[in-house]
Amino acid sequence: MNKYYYWTIVMLVLAVLPARGAIYMVGNQPFGDWNPANGVEMADQGNGTYALTAAISGTVWFVFADGQNGDWNVFNANYRYGPNGNGSQEVTTGHAYTTQKANNNHSYKFTGTGKEYTFTFDLSGPTFSISEYQEPPAPDPFSLARGDANGDGEINIADINAIISILLGDFANYDTRQRSDVNQDNEINIVDVNALIDHLLGGTLPERDKQGYDYVWDDETIPEIHLSVSLDEWNRLLALYDDNAFTTQYVTATVTFVKDGETTIIDNAGLRLKGNTSRRRPEGSFGQPHQPDNTDWHHAHFGVNLRKYVDDDNHTIQGVRKLHLKWFKDDPAYVREIFCYELFKRAGVWTAVRDHYCRLWIHVEGDAAEAYYGVYEMMEPIDKRYVKDRKARFGASDGYLWKCRNAAAGLNNPNGDIWYDDDSDDRHAYTLQTQTDQFQNARQQLADFMNKINGLGDNDFYLWIQQVTDVDLLLKTYAVNVAVGMWDDYWNNANNYYLYFNGTGLTDYQFFFIPYDYDNTLGTSLRCGVQDDAGRHSPLNWGSDNNRLIARILKFDDFRAKYISYLKQMVDARQALIDRQSAQARIRSWQQRIAPYIDNDTGEDTAIEDKPASWGNHSEYRLLTNGSDNFFTVKAATINTLP
C-alpha cells in the first residue's frame, strides 16, 4: 500500500473518533472517600450518558464531576454536579433526579442494602437515576459477525473506530480481537481497517481459505462421520476388547467424512478402541458377537487412523491422518472438554490440541441401517503429526514426544516405568511416541530432566528452568489447568499430560508441557491426591509435594506473581475467559447447537443436564445456574483471595 494512502486512511478514520470525556463519581466509600483523585470514572454509554455499578451497604454521599484533580476545592461551578441547595439531598432507587453544576458543598445521600446498584448520569439533562443492578443477558459469542468490532450487532463506522482504538493500545479481549481480525490473518492492523472500509462501501468481507486442520476442525460446522465395518472385522474388534479391554489393535473400516457439502470417503482405514478408565465394549456383553436384530449399542471412544494400512495422500482428509472420537463420558453437560480446550486457545496456550463436536454413525455389514451414536468430540491426536504441524513454535520436529499417565508420571523417578510405543497393549507411565529407534538416548535425556527437577539447588534450578522452557507459557498453561479445576493432572495425580523435547542432546533441549484429557473438570471433583474440592482448593498448593516441577517454579517470587496474575486474568470479566457470564454464554451457545442431535441409538446420554459426574464428591456444582454452587463463581472467589 502507498504510504500516503495509508496515512490518509488513518487520519480520515481518526477524524471520526468521538472526543473523549469523563464523568466521575466522587464521595465517601466506595467512591473515593471524598478525594477527587480517587473518584471512580463512569463508563461512557454514548450520547452523553454515563453509568457506574457498585455494591453499597450503608449510607454514602456523592456528587458527579467532569474533571479530576487531587484536591476537592478545585471543583468549582465548571466541573461539579450536585443538587440545588445546601446540605445533602436524599435519593432512592427508581426515580430520576435533576442536578446542576455547583461549587457549594452539596451532595446526594443514598443508603444501600448490600446489593449492587447502577448509577446512570445523563449529561444533557443533567439528570441521574439509581436502579438495582440487573445483569444483562450475555450475547451469544458466536453470533456476532466478523467486522462487528464493538459487538453492538451492527457493522458500521463505529467498528472502524473500535479497531483504530485497539491499534492505539486499547484493551481488547479474545472475542473482540476475533471480530476485529476482518481479513482473518490472525493479526489486527491497518489492513483490517481497509477491509472494513471496503465492505462498508459495498465490497464483501474477505474469506479465509480453510484447508487441512483448519477445515477439519473449523468450529462453524458440525461434521458427520460414518464408519462402515465388515461383520468379521466388527466381531474381531469385540473379541479384542474381551481379550484385553485396553487393546490398541486396529480393525479395518471405511470412513466417510461429510462437511460443508463435501464428502470424503476413505477405504482401508484403521479403527480401534480408546480410553483409560472410560474404555467400553461398543456392543453387547462379554463374549457376545454382533446381534443384528436386537443390537445393544454402547457409547465408546474410538481412534481412527486413515493411513494405518495404506500410506498415501488419498488416505487423509485434506492431510489429516488421525481422529480421536470421544463420547461425553461422565459429562451430562456435553461441554467440559470442549470448553477447556477452547479456553486454552483463548488464553494463548498454543500447545493445546484442536477439538470440536461431530456426529457419529456406525454401520456393520448386513445391518439394514447404520446406528446413530450421537454427538461426539472429535480431537486432534498428539503424535508426530501434531509436532510437525507446530514445528515453527517448537523449534524442531525431530525431538522426543512422551505420553505421561497412569498416576505414576510425577517426574520424580528416573528408574520408573519408562518404555516406547511398541504397538503392544502395554500401558506405561512414560511412553515414547516418536523416534522410538532412539529410545535409549531419549530415556537418558528424560532421566537428566528428572534429575535436574529434583536435584538442582534453588539458584541453579531458577537459571536452568528458564533455559529449558518458556516459563510464561508453562505458568499460563497451569493457570488454565487450575482455573478449570483439573485435579487428574500432573501436579496432583501424576497423570494426563505429554512432554515434548525439541532436541536429542542429553542436556541440550527445550521441553514443552502439553495439556491432555480435560473431561473431569468444571465442578467434576474427586477426593484424590491432596484434592478434596476442585473449586475451592488453593491454586498455590494444587498438588503433591512429590510432583515437584510446578511447586519448585512457584517458590520464586517473580514466577509466583506471574502465575497469580494469569489466574486472576482467568476470572476477570473483561478478559471473557472463565468469568461466569462469558463462560455461560459460550456453554449455552454450544448446547443449543448440539441439542437437536443428542438423542441416539445407544439409548445412553440422551439429555443435556447441568450437573457433574455422578461419582464426584461435589454433586452440588452447577455451570448455568447462578448462586453459591455455581462453579465459576466459586472458582473466581477462590482465585480472588490470592495476594
Side-chain angles (χ1 to χ4, degrees), residues 12 46 94 115 123-124 244 289 375 425 453 493 502 568 579:
L12 285 172
K115 300 178 181 178
L123 190 60
S124 64
N244 177 6
V375 174
D425 295 338
I453 289 174
N493 200 34
N502 71 353
K568 290 188 175 181
D579 64 288

Side-chain angles (χ1 to χ4, degrees), residues 18-19 82 93 111-112 136 208 255 261 272 293 330 347 351 359 404 427 431 448 454 456 469 471 525 551 587 615 624:
T93 62
T111 301
R208 186 174 66 185
V255 178
R272 73 177 183 92
D293 297 326
D330 299 323
T351 50
R359 301 173 67 196
C404 310
R427 297 162 47 78
T431 305
D448 174 79
N454 297 283
L456 287 176
T469 197
V471 178
S525 179
I587 289 172
W615 44 258
L624 296 179

Side-chain angles (χ1 to χ4, degrees), residues 22-42 61-76 79-81 105:
I23 293 292
Y24 299 86
M25 286 191 70
V26 184
N28 66 332
Q29 296 294 345
F31 305 124
D33 200 17
W34 290 107
N35 182 349
N38 293 331
V40 179
E41 184 173 358
M42 304 182 76
W61 290 263
F62 61 92
V63 296
F64 301 99
D66 56 6
Q68 185 183 37
N69 284 282
D71 185 347
W72 171 254
N73 293 325
V74 305
F75 282 81
N76 54 36
Y79 294 98
R80 226 172 98 200
Y81 295 86
N105 190 18

